[in-house]
Amino acid sequence: MSDAVPILKIGSTLLVSIQVDLQDDTALQLQEDLAERITRTGARGVVIDISGLEIVDSFIGRMLASVAAISRVLDAQTVVVGMRPAVAITMVELGLSLGGVRTALDVERGLAMLAPSLESAESVLLAAAAERES
């Protein structure tokens, strides 16, 4: 696992804070590291903070969409936060779609987007566990 991009655990959510422009090999390593961390921690949500990115090219756009797809397969939801207006404009102009990726303005809003669904999933699991014990 690489330490190029930190992955922090906050409750049942992983926070990925990208503070430097990613090279292709670093982006691919992040994809692998994140998949491994979701599996190892059982995380139910992923917040990817891209506020440090000056540019998002087509490769990085596809990588973000891939990370979201991988997370979904591993039963975690993804929210991308901190997108600069210039990055959003460039992505639209390039025709990049972040299919299946929800976005929020900042980390706080991204965590809030995940909270209701994570709480309901946890309550379902707790109810199922309580039912088995009865």
Side-chain angles (χ1 to χ4, degrees):
M1 182 158 22
S2 167
D3 291 328
V5 178
I7 302 172
L8 308 171
K9 188 171 186 313
I10 302 172
S12 60
T13 301
L14 297 177
L15 173 62
V16 180
S17 183
I18 302 172
Q19 296 303 311
V20 295
D21 287 326
L22 295 176
Q23 302 300 318
D24 291 358
D25 58 336
T26 308
L28 291 171
Q29 186 63 52
L30 171 60
Q31 193 171 302
E32 291 177 25
D33 292 349
L34 188 55
E36 188 274 327
R37 285 290 297 274
I38 291 169
T39 303
R40 185 163 40 97
T41 64
R44 305 278 303 168
V46 176
V47 174
I48 302 174
D49 179 7
I50 63 169
S51 60
L53 292 181
E54 293 290 329
I55 60 166
V56 172
D57 61 14
S58 60
F59 179 80
I60 299 300
R62 285 192 312 271
M63 186 275 304
L64 290 171
S66 292
V67 164
I70 291 166
S71 297
R72 269 193 312 277
V73 169
L74 295 174
D75 198 26
Q77 299 174 47
T78 301
V79 179
V80 174
V81 302
M83 188 177 301
R84 297 172 183 225
V87 169
I89 291 166
T90 301
M91 290 181 70
V92 170
E93 288 174 349
L94 290 174
L96 294 176
S97 168
L98 293 180
V101 180
R102 297 188 311 174
T103 60
L105 291 177
D106 56 34
V107 172
E108 185 177 4
R109 289 181 183 186
L111 289 170
M113 284 176 77
L114 293 172
S117 60
L118 295 180
E119 289 171 5
S120 64
E122 289 172 0
S123 64
V124 167
L125 290 174
L126 289 174
E131 199 171 293
R132 270 187 260 135
E133 291 177 4
S134 311

